[in-house]
Amino acid sequence: MNDKLKRISLLEFIFLIHGAQMGIGILQLPRELAEKAGTDGWIAIIFGWLLSTAMSLVIVQMMRFYPDGTLIDLIERYFGKWAAKIGALVFAAAYAFLTATVFFRAILFIKAFILPRTADSLLFLLFAIPTYLILRNNLRVLGRYSVFVFLMLLWMPFFYLFALKDSHWLYLLPVIKEGWWPILKAVPNTATSFIGFEMTFLLYPFLEKKQTASAGVIVANTLTMLVYVAITVICFAFFSPDGILDTNEPTLSILKVIEFHFMERLEIVFLAFYLFIVSTTWMPYLYWSVYCTNRLFGLKESSNVPLAVFLLSVFVLLLFYHPTFNENDKWQKLNSYANYFIAYAFPICLWGYLLVRRAIRGRAST
């Protein structure tokens, strides 16, 4: 933990969390919210932001019980070595499965919009090689990569402003037209879209100034919320309430109407750049899957053997298995169930246990 190369700044801490949240969910989120709450679905994003921010602060408070260790160290301290092994196994498997899901989704989008005749395994190599080169280094390199991608692609959301000239804001009125219940039903969709804040479990001990962790998670969640709300509202104003239900990825489809004299098929260019953002999702999860695997088998934290094995296994799998959008949708649902437990249920239960344990020890000492 004292290795300075593993320490990350507040900026890197923020964008590691924000990057983990900005995966593939934003491409489908407007349609999913419209299915549950109509054009009032954007309000559910604010509730999701409040929930994820509250849980992030809970995780920060919990990690203060053992500030110099990750979640695995915290479990080992309070529950024993075997409990830590089980925790490492669960996190390693869950994060590896989530990484594979994001990998396959990215490949499906590339084949659908850019390179339809390219083999899945070859496309995966385009992801695997830079992923290995970045993740084989320390956490600081990954943090700087997340900051670099954010700054490099800061211009992307502003392209949606060109769609405002063809938008109809009357689609959004009246607000809360069907009451609060449809909005509340859409909150679980937004709650999963904010998944990534639980990365605080593993990033906290590496943060240089731990007293800034609370501010960091609030800023990270707020950045994600602002992007989600802005793009969702623009999609709701552009598509009719019925039309958006027939569009699988409205975030991409809306770009088809934006034309420049020097550029055609803007959605293809946008998707190509968006893959950098998606990489800031799979890389942190894969990094921590490798970290937990090393802890599980007693390897050095710097060992890259699990990373190489995972990438090679996925490459071999794609030689024989060709995922489809429907199959990947099922994988995403399985991930959402696992994420509910890891990001919401588990922190509350663990924090409650730690508070009760402290209260009991306090009474015993008096």
Side-chain angles (χ1 to χ4, degrees), residues 184-214:
L184 295 177
K185 288 197 301 182
V187 171
N189 292 85
T190 61
T192 55
S193 297
F194 280 96
I195 292 296
F197 66 84
E198 80 284 358
M199 203 70 65
T200 310
F201 270 135
L202 301 163
L203 293 175
Y204 182 84
F206 301 99
L207 183 61
E208 289 179 339
K209 299 180 180 179
K210 294 181 175 57
Q211 66 272 18
T212 62
S214 297

PDB file of all heavy atoms in Angstrom, residues 184-214:
ATOM      1  N   LEU A 184     -41.148   5.809 -10.278  1.00  0.00           N
ATOM      2  CA  LEU A 184     -40.502   4.963  -9.283  1.00  0.00           C
ATOM      3  C   LEU A 184     -40.189   3.579  -9.850  1.00  0.00           C
ATOM      4  O   LEU A 184     -39.175   2.965  -9.479  1.00  0.00           O
ATOM      5  CB  LEU A 184     -41.390   4.838  -8.041  1.00  0.00           C
ATOM      6  CG  LEU A 184     -41.618   6.142  -7.267  1.00  0.00           C
ATOM      7  CD1 LEU A 184     -42.568   5.910  -6.092  1.00  0.00           C
ATOM      8  CD2 LEU A 184     -40.295   6.713  -6.770  1.00  0.00           C
ATOM      9  N   LYS A 185     -41.044   3.080 -10.744  1.00  0.00           N
ATOM     10  CA  LYS A 185     -40.773   1.776 -11.368  1.00  0.00           C
ATOM     11  C   LYS A 185     -39.545   1.829 -12.265  1.00  0.00           C
ATOM     12  O   LYS A 185     -38.902   0.796 -12.515  1.00  0.00           O
ATOM     13  CB  LYS A 185     -41.988   1.319 -12.186  1.00  0.00           C
ATOM     14  CG  LYS A 185     -43.174   0.877 -11.350  1.00  0.00           C
ATOM     15  CD  LYS A 185     -44.165   0.071 -12.179  1.00  0.00           C
ATOM     16  CE  LYS A 185     -44.690   0.861 -13.360  1.00  0.00           C
ATOM     17  NZ  LYS A 185     -45.688   0.080 -14.133  1.00  0.00           N
ATOM     18  N   ALA A 186     -39.209   3.007 -12.760  1.00  0.00           N
ATOM     19  CA  ALA A 186     -38.040   3.144 -13.635  1.00  0.00           C
ATOM     20  C   ALA A 186     -36.752   3.357 -12.863  1.00  0.00           C
ATOM     21  O   ALA A 186     -35.663   3.279 -13.457  1.00  0.00           O
ATOM     22  CB  ALA A 186     -38.248   4.319 -14.600  1.00  0.00           C
ATOM     23  N   VAL A 187     -36.836   3.595 -11.547  1.00  0.00           N
ATOM     24  CA  VAL A 187     -35.631   3.849 -10.755  1.00  0.00           C
ATOM     25  C   VAL A 187     -34.657   2.674 -10.789  1.00  0.00           C
ATOM     26  O   VAL A 187     -33.438   2.886 -10.872  1.00  0.00           O
ATOM     27  CB  VAL A 187     -36.009   4.224  -9.308  1.00  0.00           C
ATOM     28  CG1 VAL A 187     -34.767   4.270  -8.408  1.00  0.00           C
ATOM     29  CG2 VAL A 187     -36.714   5.572  -9.292  1.00  0.00           C
ATOM     30  N   PRO A 188     -35.118   1.394 -10.723  1.00  0.00           N
ATOM     31  CA  PRO A 188     -34.150   0.290 -10.811  1.00  0.00           C
ATOM     32  C   PRO A 188     -33.299   0.330 -12.075  1.00  0.00           C
ATOM     33  O   PRO A 188     -32.116  -0.048 -12.038  1.00  0.00           O
ATOM     34  CB  PRO A 188     -35.038  -0.960 -10.772  1.00  0.00           C
ATOM     35  CG  PRO A 188     -36.236  -0.538  -9.985  1.00  0.00           C
ATOM     36  CD  PRO A 188     -36.473   0.884 -10.396  1.00  0.00           C
ATOM     37  N   ASN A 189     -33.867   0.783 -13.194  1.00  0.00           N
ATOM     38  CA  ASN A 189     -33.069   0.903 -14.419  1.00  0.00           C
ATOM     39  C   ASN A 189     -31.964   1.938 -14.262  1.00  0.00           C
ATOM     40  O   ASN A 189     -30.832   1.725 -14.713  1.00  0.00           O
ATOM     41  CB  ASN A 189     -33.964   1.294 -15.599  1.00  0.00           C
ATOM     42  CG  ASN A 189     -34.929   0.195 -15.985  1.00  0.00           C
ATOM     43  OD1 ASN A 189     -36.002   0.073 -15.405  1.00  0.00           O
ATOM     44  ND2 ASN A 189     -34.559  -0.621 -16.954  1.00  0.00           N
ATOM     45  N   THR A 190     -32.289   3.056 -13.628  1.00  0.00           N
ATOM     46  CA  THR A 190     -31.265   4.085 -13.436  1.00  0.00           C
ATOM     47  C   THR A 190     -30.264   3.667 -12.363  1.00  0.00           C
ATOM     48  O   THR A 190     -29.083   4.036 -12.426  1.00  0.00           O
ATOM     49  CB  THR A 190     -31.913   5.423 -13.046  1.00  0.00           C
ATOM     50  OG1 THR A 190     -32.635   5.269 -11.809  1.00  0.00           O
ATOM     51  CG2 THR A 190     -32.883   5.874 -14.112  1.00  0.00           C
ATOM     52  N   ALA A 191     -30.732   2.887 -11.378  1.00  0.00           N
ATOM     53  CA  ALA A 191     -29.819   2.433 -10.329  1.00  0.00           C
ATOM     54  C   ALA A 191     -28.707   1.564 -10.918  1.00  0.00           C
ATOM     55  O   ALA A 191     -27.538   1.679 -10.535  1.00  0.00           O
ATOM     56  CB  ALA A 191     -30.583   1.667  -9.250  1.00  0.00           C
ATOM     57  N   THR A 192     -29.054   0.697 -11.872  1.00  0.00           N
ATOM     58  CA  THR A 192     -28.032  -0.129 -12.506  1.00  0.00           C
ATOM     59  C   THR A 192     -27.150   0.697 -13.434  1.00  0.00           C
ATOM     60  O   THR A 192     -25.978   0.357 -13.642  1.00  0.00           O
ATOM     61  CB  THR A 192     -28.677  -1.271 -13.305  1.00  0.00           C
ATOM     62  OG1 THR A 192     -29.616  -0.727 -14.254  1.00  0.00           O
ATOM     63  CG2 THR A 192     -29.420  -2.224 -12.385  1.00  0.00           C
ATOM     64  N   SER A 193     -27.684   1.774 -13.992  1.00  0.00           N
ATOM     65  CA  SER A 193     -26.875   2.629 -14.866  1.00  0.00           C
ATOM     66  C   SER A 193     -25.779   3.358 -14.095  1.00  0.00           C
ATOM     67  O   SER A 193     -24.776   3.768 -14.682  1.00  0.00           O
ATOM     68  CB  SER A 193     -27.766   3.647 -15.592  1.00  0.00           C
ATOM     69  OG  SER A 193     -28.692   2.998 -16.431  1.00  0.00           O
ATOM     70  N   PHE A 194     -25.974   3.541 -12.790  1.00  0.00           N
ATOM     71  CA  PHE A 194     -24.966   4.205 -11.964  1.00  0.00           C
ATOM     72  C   PHE A 194     -23.981   3.206 -11.353  1.00  0.00           C
ATOM     73  O   PHE A 194     -23.100   3.615 -10.584  1.00  0.00           O
ATOM     74  CB  PHE A 194     -25.631   5.011 -10.843  1.00  0.00           C
ATOM     75  CG  PHE A 194     -26.159   6.344 -11.296  1.00  0.00           C
ATOM     76  CD1 PHE A 194     -27.493   6.500 -11.652  1.00  0.00           C
ATOM     77  CD2 PHE A 194     -25.332   7.448 -11.357  1.00  0.00           C
ATOM     78  CE1 PHE A 194     -27.990   7.727 -12.057  1.00  0.00           C
ATOM     79  CE2 PHE A 194     -25.818   8.684 -11.755  1.00  0.00           C
ATOM     80  CZ  PHE A 194     -27.155   8.827 -12.115  1.00  0.00           C
ATOM     81  N   ILE A 195     -24.153   1.927 -11.680  1.00  0.00           N
ATOM     82  CA  ILE A 195     -23.219   0.932 -11.168  1.00  0.00           C
ATOM     83  C   ILE A 195     -21.806   1.294 -11.612  1.00  0.00           C
ATOM     84  O   ILE A 195     -21.564   1.625 -12.772  1.00  0.00           O
ATOM     85  CB  ILE A 195     -23.595  -0.475 -11.674  1.00  0.00           C
ATOM     86  CG1 ILE A 195     -24.914  -0.926 -11.039  1.00  0.00           C
ATOM     87  CG2 ILE A 195     -22.490  -1.464 -11.376  1.00  0.00           C
ATOM     88  CD1 ILE A 195     -24.843  -1.090  -9.541  1.00  0.00           C
ATOM     89  N   GLY A 196     -20.887   1.207 -10.690  1.00  0.00           N
ATOM     90  CA  GLY A 196     -19.516   1.642 -10.901  1.00  0.00           C
ATOM     91  C   GLY A 196     -19.029   2.397  -9.675  1.00  0.00           C
ATOM     92  O   GLY A 196     -17.827   2.440  -9.389  1.00  0.00           O
ATOM     93  N   PHE A 197     -19.990   2.969  -8.933  1.00  0.00           N
ATOM     94  CA  PHE A 197     -19.625   3.690  -7.706  1.00  0.00           C
ATOM     95  C   PHE A 197     -19.067   2.729  -6.659  1.00  0.00           C
ATOM     96  O   PHE A 197     -18.300   3.131  -5.772  1.00  0.00           O
ATOM     97  CB  PHE A 197     -20.830   4.443  -7.141  1.00  0.00           C
ATOM     98  CG  PHE A 197     -21.949   3.557  -6.658  1.00  0.00           C
ATOM     99  CD1 PHE A 197     -21.922   3.002  -5.391  1.00  0.00           C
ATOM    100  CD2 PHE A 197     -23.033   3.281  -7.478  1.00  0.00           C
ATOM    101  CE1 PHE A 197     -22.952   2.184  -4.938  1.00  0.00           C
ATOM    102  CE2 PHE A 197     -24.072   2.466  -7.043  1.00  0.00           C
ATOM    103  CZ  PHE A 197     -24.025   1.910  -5.774  1.00  0.00           C
ATOM    104  N   GLU A 198     -19.450   1.438  -6.731  1.00  0.00           N
ATOM    105  CA  GLU A 198     -18.937   0.465  -5.762  1.00  0.00           C
ATOM    106  C   GLU A 198     -17.438   0.235  -5.926  1.00  0.00           C
ATOM    107  O   GLU A 198     -16.798  -0.416  -5.097  1.00  0.00           O
ATOM    108  CB  GLU A 198     -19.701  -0.855  -5.872  1.00  0.00           C
ATOM    109  CG  GLU A 198     -19.281  -1.786  -7.006  1.00  0.00           C
ATOM    110  CD  GLU A 198     -19.776  -1.340  -8.370  1.00  0.00           C
ATOM    111  OE1 GLU A 198     -20.483  -0.318  -8.441  1.00  0.00           O
ATOM    112  OE2 GLU A 198     -19.464  -2.029  -9.353  1.00  0.00           O
ATOM    113  N   MET A 199     -16.865   0.793  -7.025  1.00  0.00           N
ATOM    114  CA  MET A 199     -15.421   0.741  -7.211  1.00  0.00           C
ATOM    115  C   MET A 199     -14.698   1.431  -6.050  1.00  0.00           C
ATOM    116  O   MET A 199     -13.508   1.203  -5.819  1.00  0.00           O
ATOM    117  CB  MET A 199     -15.067   1.424  -8.530  1.00  0.00           C
ATOM    118  CG  MET A 199     -13.751   1.015  -9.133  1.00  0.00           C
ATOM    119  SD  MET A 199     -13.733  -0.657  -9.754  1.00  0.00           S
ATOM    120  CE  MET A 199     -14.937  -0.533 -11.074  1.00  0.00           C
ATOM    121  N   THR A 200     -15.428   2.230  -5.280  1.00  0.00           N
ATOM    122  CA  THR A 200     -14.862   2.891  -4.108  1.00  0.00           C
ATOM    123  C   THR A 200     -14.319   1.876  -3.111  1.00  0.00           C
ATOM    124  O   THR A 200     -13.348   2.148  -2.389  1.00  0.00           O
ATOM    125  CB  THR A 200     -15.932   3.775  -3.429  1.00  0.00           C
ATOM    126  OG1 THR A 200     -16.558   4.602  -4.413  1.00  0.00           O
ATOM    127  CG2 THR A 200     -15.329   4.649  -2.341  1.00  0.00           C
ATOM    128  N   PHE A 201     -14.943   0.689  -3.055  1.00  0.00           N
ATOM    129  CA  PHE A 201     -14.472  -0.384  -2.195  1.00  0.00           C
ATOM    130  C   PHE A 201     -12.971  -0.639  -2.365  1.00  0.00           C
ATOM    131  O   PHE A 201     -12.242  -0.862  -1.407  1.00  0.00           O
ATOM    132  CB  PHE A 201     -15.204  -1.685  -2.541  1.00  0.00           C
ATOM    133  CG  PHE A 201     -16.477  -1.893  -1.774  1.00  0.00           C
ATOM    134  CD1 PHE A 201     -17.617  -2.318  -2.416  1.00  0.00           C
ATOM    135  CD2 PHE A 201     -16.525  -1.696  -0.398  1.00  0.00           C
ATOM    136  CE1 PHE A 201     -18.790  -2.539  -1.722  1.00  0.00           C
ATOM    137  CE2 PHE A 201     -17.693  -1.914   0.305  1.00  0.00           C
ATOM    138  CZ  PHE A 201     -18.830  -2.334  -0.357  1.00  0.00           C
ATOM    139  N   LEU A 202     -12.535  -0.609  -3.613  1.00  0.00           N
ATOM    140  CA  LEU A 202     -11.177  -1.015  -3.944  1.00  0.00           C
ATOM    141  C   LEU A 202     -10.251   0.163  -4.215  1.00  0.00           C
ATOM    142  O   LEU A 202      -9.030   0.038  -4.105  1.00  0.00           O
ATOM    143  CB  LEU A 202     -11.223  -1.940  -5.165  1.00  0.00           C
ATOM    144  CG  LEU A 202     -12.072  -3.201  -4.952  1.00  0.00           C
ATOM    145  CD1 LEU A 202     -12.433  -3.849  -6.276  1.00  0.00           C
ATOM    146  CD2 LEU A 202     -11.335  -4.200  -4.080  1.00  0.00           C
ATOM    147  N   LEU A 203     -10.823   1.316  -4.564  1.00  0.00           N
ATOM    148  CA  LEU A 203     -10.006   2.492  -4.857  1.00  0.00           C
ATOM    149  C   LEU A 203      -9.641   3.281  -3.606  1.00  0.00           C
ATOM    150  O   LEU A 203      -8.604   3.947  -3.576  1.00  0.00           O
ATOM    151  CB  LEU A 203     -10.750   3.419  -5.833  1.00  0.00           C
ATOM    152  CG  LEU A 203     -10.979   2.904  -7.246  1.00  0.00           C
ATOM    153  CD1 LEU A 203     -11.845   3.889  -8.032  1.00  0.00           C
ATOM    154  CD2 LEU A 203      -9.655   2.692  -7.959  1.00  0.00           C
ATOM    155  N   TYR A 204     -10.468   3.212  -2.585  1.00  0.00           N
ATOM    156  CA  TYR A 204     -10.298   4.061  -1.407  1.00  0.00           C
ATOM    157  C   TYR A 204      -8.905   3.958  -0.776  1.00  0.00           C
ATOM    158  O   TYR A 204      -8.280   4.992  -0.483  1.00  0.00           O
ATOM    159  CB  TYR A 204     -11.373   3.735  -0.367  1.00  0.00           C
ATOM    160  CG  TYR A 204     -11.312   4.599   0.872  1.00  0.00           C
ATOM    161  CD1 TYR A 204     -11.917   5.846   0.909  1.00  0.00           C
ATOM    162  CD2 TYR A 204     -10.637   4.154   2.016  1.00  0.00           C
ATOM    163  CE1 TYR A 204     -11.854   6.634   2.053  1.00  0.00           C
ATOM    164  CE2 TYR A 204     -10.570   4.941   3.159  1.00  0.00           C
ATOM    165  CZ  TYR A 204     -11.184   6.180   3.171  1.00  0.00           C
ATOM    166  OH  TYR A 204     -11.115   6.961   4.291  1.00  0.00           O
ATOM    167  N   PRO A 205      -8.365   2.762  -0.533  1.00  0.00           N
ATOM    168  CA  PRO A 205      -7.051   2.711   0.134  1.00  0.00           C
ATOM    169  C   PRO A 205      -5.916   3.286  -0.696  1.00  0.00           C
ATOM    170  O   PRO A 205      -4.858   3.614  -0.152  1.00  0.00           O
ATOM    171  CB  PRO A 205      -6.840   1.214   0.378  1.00  0.00           C
ATOM    172  CG  PRO A 205      -7.716   0.540  -0.605  1.00  0.00           C
ATOM    173  CD  PRO A 205      -8.912   1.420  -0.750  1.00  0.00           C
ATOM    174  N   PHE A 206      -6.106   3.438  -2.010  1.00  0.00           N
ATOM    175  CA  PHE A 206      -5.056   3.961  -2.875  1.00  0.00           C
ATOM    176  C   PHE A 206      -5.168   5.475  -3.087  1.00  0.00           C
ATOM    177  O   PHE A 206      -4.312   6.061  -3.726  1.00  0.00           O
ATOM    178  CB  PHE A 206      -5.097   3.252  -4.236  1.00  0.00           C
ATOM    179  CG  PHE A 206      -4.913   1.764  -4.137  1.00  0.00           C
ATOM    180  CD1 PHE A 206      -6.008   0.915  -4.161  1.00  0.00           C
ATOM    181  CD2 PHE A 206      -3.650   1.219  -3.999  1.00  0.00           C
ATOM    182  CE1 PHE A 206      -5.843  -0.457  -4.063  1.00  0.00           C
ATOM    183  CE2 PHE A 206      -3.474  -0.148  -3.907  1.00  0.00           C
ATOM    184  CZ  PHE A 206      -4.572  -0.998  -3.928  1.00  0.00           C
ATOM    185  N   LEU A 207      -6.223   6.083  -2.562  1.00  0.00           N
ATOM    186  CA  LEU A 207      -6.422   7.520  -2.718  1.00  0.00           C
ATOM    187  C   LEU A 207      -5.413   8.276  -1.859  1.00  0.00           C
ATOM    188  O   LEU A 207      -5.239   7.975  -0.677  1.00  0.00           O
ATOM    189  CB  LEU A 207      -7.845   7.895  -2.328  1.00  0.00           C
ATOM    190  CG  LEU A 207      -8.257   9.361  -2.493  1.00  0.00           C
ATOM    191  CD1 LEU A 207      -8.157   9.800  -3.949  1.00  0.00           C
ATOM    192  CD2 LEU A 207      -9.690   9.562  -1.978  1.00  0.00           C
ATOM    193  N   GLU A 208      -4.744   9.251  -2.456  1.00  0.00           N
ATOM    194  CA  GLU A 208      -3.699   9.984  -1.734  1.00  0.00           C
ATOM    195  C   GLU A 208      -4.267  10.730  -0.534  1.00  0.00           C
ATOM    196  O   GLU A 208      -3.722  10.668   0.570  1.00  0.00           O
ATOM    197  CB  GLU A 208      -2.994  10.963  -2.691  1.00  0.00           C
ATOM    198  CG  GLU A 208      -2.121  10.287  -3.728  1.00  0.00           C
ATOM    199  CD  GLU A 208      -1.473  11.277  -4.669  1.00  0.00           C
ATOM    200  OE1 GLU A 208      -1.997  12.416  -4.789  1.00  0.00           O
ATOM    201  OE2 GLU A 208      -0.465  10.926  -5.297  1.00  0.00           O
ATOM    202  N   LYS A 209      -5.341  11.461  -0.724  1.00  0.00           N
ATOM    203  CA  LYS A 209      -5.967  12.224   0.348  1.00  0.00           C
ATOM    204  C   LYS A 209      -7.346  11.635   0.607  1.00  0.00           C
ATOM    205  O   LYS A 209      -8.328  11.989  -0.028  1.00  0.00           O
ATOM    206  CB  LYS A 209      -6.059  13.707  -0.039  1.00  0.00           C
ATOM    207  CG  LYS A 209      -4.710  14.354  -0.274  1.00  0.00           C
ATOM    208  CD  LYS A 209      -4.858  15.824  -0.653  1.00  0.00           C
ATOM    209  CE  LYS A 209      -3.499  16.472  -0.884  1.00  0.00           C
ATOM    210  NZ  LYS A 209      -3.630  17.903  -1.289  1.00  0.00           N
ATOM    211  N   LYS A 210      -7.407  10.728   1.572  1.00  0.00           N
ATOM    212  CA  LYS A 210      -8.632   9.977   1.821  1.00  0.00           C
ATOM    213  C   LYS A 210      -9.759  10.859   2.353  1.00  0.00           C
ATOM    214  O   LYS A 210     -10.933  10.489   2.245  1.00  0.00           O
ATOM    215  CB  LYS A 210      -8.353   8.822   2.778  1.00  0.00           C
ATOM    216  CG  LYS A 210      -7.431   7.761   2.187  1.00  0.00           C
ATOM    217  CD  LYS A 210      -7.197   6.632   3.164  1.00  0.00           C
ATOM    218  CE  LYS A 210      -6.380   5.528   2.523  1.00  0.00           C
ATOM    219  NZ  LYS A 210      -5.063   5.986   2.004  1.00  0.00           N
ATOM    220  N   GLN A 211      -9.424  12.003   2.915  1.00  0.00           N
ATOM    221  CA  GLN A 211     -10.465  12.895   3.413  1.00  0.00           C
ATOM    222  C   GLN A 211     -11.288  13.512   2.281  1.00  0.00           C
ATOM    223  O   GLN A 211     -12.358  14.081   2.526  1.00  0.00           O
ATOM    224  CB  GLN A 211      -9.865  14.002   4.285  1.00  0.00           C
ATOM    225  CG  GLN A 211      -8.960  14.982   3.545  1.00  0.00           C
ATOM    226  CD  GLN A 211      -7.512  14.528   3.475  1.00  0.00           C
ATOM    227  OE1 GLN A 211      -7.220  13.348   3.676  1.00  0.00           O
ATOM    228  NE2 GLN A 211      -6.616  15.461   3.220  1.00  0.00           N
ATOM    229  N   THR A 212     -10.795  13.399   1.045  1.00  0.00           N
ATOM    230  CA  THR A 212     -11.527  13.939  -0.103  1.00  0.00           C
ATOM    231  C   THR A 212     -12.401  12.885  -0.784  1.00  0.00           C
ATOM    232  O   THR A 212     -13.028  13.178  -1.806  1.00  0.00           O
ATOM    233  CB  THR A 212     -10.542  14.509  -1.138  1.00  0.00           C
ATOM    234  OG1 THR A 212      -9.692  13.445  -1.624  1.00  0.00           O
ATOM    235  CG2 THR A 212      -9.671  15.583  -0.524  1.00  0.00           C
ATOM    236  N   ALA A 213     -12.456  11.670  -0.229  1.00  0.00           N
ATOM    237  CA  ALA A 213     -13.180  10.576  -0.886  1.00  0.00           C
ATOM    238  C   ALA A 213     -14.669  10.896  -1.025  1.00  0.00           C
ATOM    239  O   ALA A 213     -15.275  10.631  -2.073  1.00  0.00           O
ATOM    240  CB  ALA A 213     -12.980   9.277  -0.117  1.00  0.00           C
ATOM    241  N   SER A 214     -15.278  11.458   0.009  1.00  0.00           N
ATOM    242  CA  SER A 214     -16.711  11.769  -0.050  1.00  0.00           C
ATOM    243  C   SER A 214     -17.017  12.768  -1.161  1.00  0.00           C
ATOM    244  O   SER A 214     -17.958  12.598  -1.935  1.00  0.00           O
ATOM    245  CB  SER A 214     -17.190  12.313   1.296  1.00  0.00           C
ATOM    246  OG  SER A 214     -17.056  11.340   2.313  1.00  0.00           O
TER     247      SER A 214
END
